[in-house]
């Protein structure tokens, strides 16, 4: 008899496999080691990575001799970096954005520059269709939004490797004119090594792929504001 096992890959293991997950049929009594062997047979390039990978079964750490239970979800990932020297903050919150506190959290002894973008509720719009805004009501698909914020941070680090700290924060709920709605902040050693471009990239990318919506309410009622960017498979 065999049973299906859902296998998840993260970080470098996902790069090697080319997929975030796959399904494996394993015989009854199979162990973590047996699953590793089967994976190497299927994807030989995994051999070295699996030797040092951390394993979890159904959200609990697991080891080579552990049996695979029914409906097992097995994750493989490299050792967690934990105390990385490069802090990253991604957050969806109803609380006020504390700009100084967030910048302090992503500032290191080597930091010499911080570029901060903060979106603010605009009470009067003069460009395009002039109008008045009484309030904005923000809504987010929070788990996916935070995951996509992490993706944006990863993209920033890939494009601008000199960046040290990154903070990406989005407020939800009812916000009034002059209140900050979102923050993207990047720190680096020097102002001329891409930190401006990194922060700009972060806010532009957030507007493309992070699932957050706003309802704009004026004196005569409100309407949801829809974006124009449709994410593709590469997003």
């Amino acid at each position: 008899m065999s049973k299906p096992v859902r296998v998840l890959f993260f970080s470098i293991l996902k790069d090697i496999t080319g997929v975030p997950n796959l399904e494996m049929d394993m015989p009854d009594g199979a162990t973590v080691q047996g699953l590793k062997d089967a994976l190497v047979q299927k994807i030989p390039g995994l051999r070295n990575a699996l030797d040092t990978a951390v394993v979890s079964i159904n959200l609990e750490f697991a080891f080579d001799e552990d049996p695979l239970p029914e409906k097992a979800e097995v994750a493989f990932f490299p050792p967690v970096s934990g105390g990385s020297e490069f802090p990253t903050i991604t957050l969806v919150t109803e609380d006020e954005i504390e700009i100084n506190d967030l910048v302090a959290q992503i500032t290191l002894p080597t930091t010499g520059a911080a570029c901060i973008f903060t979106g603010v509720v605009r009470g009067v719009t003069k460009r395009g269709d002039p109008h008045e805004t009484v309030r904005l009501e923000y809504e987010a698909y929070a788990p996916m939004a935070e995951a996509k914020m992490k993706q944006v941070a990863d993209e920033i680090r890939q494009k601008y490797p000199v960046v040290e700290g990154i903070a990406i924060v989005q407020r939800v709920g009812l916000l009034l004119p002059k209140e900050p709605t979102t923050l993207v902040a990047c720190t680096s050693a020097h102002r001329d090594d891409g930190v401006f471009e990194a922060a700009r990239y972060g806010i532009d990318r957030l507007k493309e792929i992070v699932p957050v919506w706003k309802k704009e309410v004026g004196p005569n009622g409100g309407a949801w504001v829809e974006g124009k960017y449709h994410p593709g498979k590469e997003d």
Side-chain angles (χ1 to χ4, degrees), residues 12-130:
I12 185 65
L13 290 103
K14 184 169 67 173
D15 289 348
I16 293 170
T17 61
V19 296
N21 59 75
L22 55 79
E23 300 288 331
M24 297 283 289
D25 284 324
M26 297 298 297
D28 286 341
T31 63
V32 169
Q33 183 61 59
L35 176 59
K36 286 183 177 180
D37 293 341
L39 285 169
V40 169
Q41 269 198 318
K42 186 179 182 70
I43 308 171
L46 277 174
R47 183 180 301 277
N48 292 336
L50 289 180
D51 285 343
T52 58
V54 177
V55 186
S56 71
I57 297 177
N58 298 341
L59 308 182
E60 297 290 343
F61 290 121
F63 305 92
D64 288 349
E65 65 276 11
D66 290 341
L68 302 175
E70 293 291 333
K71 298 181 179 178
E73 181 176 270
V74 184
F76 292 93
F77 47 90
V80 179
S81 56
S84 169
E85 61 177 325
F86 298 122
T88 301
I89 300 168
T90 53
L91 180 65
V92 174
T93 180
E94 294 184 359
D95 297 331
E96 181 179 350
I97 295 176
E98 299 289 350
I99 298 174
N100 289 340
D101 179 63
L102 288 164
V103 172
Q105 291 184 57
I106 61 170
T107 299
L108 305 178
T110 53
T111 297
C115 186
I116 306 158
F117 172 86
T118 306
V120 178
V121 179
R122 185 175 53 251
V124 177
T125 297
K126 296 183 178 180
R127 191 171 68 183
D129 175 25

Side-chain angles (χ1 to χ4, degrees), residues 185-203:
C186 297
T187 60
S188 68
H190 304 280
R191 70 179 186 276
D192 58 355
D193 56 10
V195 69
F196 287 94
E197 294 83 355
R200 175 61 185 266
Y201 177 87
I203 185 59

